[in-house]
Amino acid sequence: FIGQHYSKLGEIDIAMGNVIVGDEIGTGDDYLERKKEYRSNLTGTFTVQLKDGRWIKTTDRPMPNGGFVSVQSDVTAFYNLQTRLEKQVAAEVEFRDQIQDQRQQLDNILNSARSAIYGLDLEGNIVFANLQATQYLNLPSDLPTHWPSNLTLCDRQHGTRLDEGANPLSRAISGETIKGEVFQLHRT
């Protein structure tokens, strides 16, 4: 189609079914207007999708004699990758929202309990605490934090300090599963 006016080339593409009557922005008459605007300025690029699914990026630049040079590149791989990444980002955002919802539900459950509930990491730092634990242990609002040094775990019957072997915090940190143990906390 050498020597054809650019507006005629767009019409030929559409008539032959080469272009899905659109670009990365949209379709229809707006597409032809965007292409006309692009060709009148000859700056930037213009990308269209062909009927077979390929994406073609056109870069046109003016020639000194009044015509222009047009370079077309197949950018399908880029668009396919971009589409996959957009889907992954959307899935990640949805996953984060689900985690946030579940976290909120768990926080609501923990904070409705009348007992102080807290969790420790392997170093003995408090990594989560419900409202009752935060108030009772006088914890800062930003966790994790160290176990308060003024609190001692004591035997419930005698009120004596638990040694390392009996201390449920030490046993939990060493990997033991602690279930249903009751002890007293003493402030010093």
Side-chain angles (χ1 to χ4, degrees):
F1 302 107
I2 296 173
Q4 291 288 335
H5 192 268
Y6 67 84
S7 62
K8 185 67 174 166
L9 291 174
E11 292 171 9
I12 292 170
D13 279 343
I14 292 171
M16 293 177 65
N18 291 336
V19 176
I20 299 181
V21 196
D23 56 12
E24 67 269 23
I25 298 173
T27 62
D29 291 338
D30 290 342
Y31 156 73
L32 292 176
E33 283 301 313
R34 279 190 300 279
K35 190 164 187 172
K36 180 179 176 183
E37 174 72 19
Y38 167 74
R39 285 284 165 82
S40 68
N41 294 327
L42 294 180
T43 59
T45 61
F46 192 80
T47 305
V48 295
Q49 187 176 28
L50 302 182
K51 187 175 185 178
D52 64 5
R54 291 181 298 139
W55 287 91
I56 304 298
K57 179 170 93 172
T58 301
T59 305
D60 297 327
R61 294 300 177 259
M63 296 287 293
N65 66 1
F68 64 89
V69 173
S70 182
V71 177
Q72 296 183 339
S73 306
D74 187 332
V75 292
T76 305
F78 170 78
Y79 273 84
N80 290 343
L81 178 61
Q82 181 179 4
T83 300
R84 284 198 319 264
L85 288 174
E86 287 170 353
K87 287 179 182 178
Q88 287 175 345
V89 167
E92 185 176 324
V93 166
E94 182 178 344
F95 182 67
R96 283 185 196 166
D97 289 347
Q98 290 173 354
I99 288 174
Q100 184 63 32
D101 289 347
Q102 290 174 354
R103 169 91 188 200
Q104 185 61 51
Q105 290 174 358
L106 182 59
D107 285 348
N108 290 342
I109 291 167
L110 290 174
N111 286 327
S112 68
R114 293 174 52 175
S115 299
I117 302 170
Y118 54 88
L120 306 172
D121 64 13
L122 293 177
E123 286 79 39
N125 296 313
I126 299 173
V127 293
F128 76 84
N130 70 350
L131 182 61
Q132 289 73 9
T134 301
Q135 291 172 349
Y136 182 75
L137 301 175
N138 195 26
L139 298 176
S141 60
D142 56 330
L143 298 177
T145 188
H146 297 291
W147 179 261
S149 59
N150 66 335
L151 293 177
T152 305
L153 296 175
C154 297
D155 177 85
R156 185 174 175 194
Q157 291 179 327
H158 304 99
T160 57
R161 181 185 177 117
L162 296 173
D163 63 26
E164 283 295 307
N167 183 323
L169 295 178
S170 299
R171 292 180 10 242
I173 291 169
S174 68
E176 184 179 335
T177 301
I178 309 299
K179 293 184 179 179
E181 293 190 26
V182 179
F183 52 87
Q184 289 180 342
L185 286 174
H186 285 236
R187 290 189 193 278
T188 56

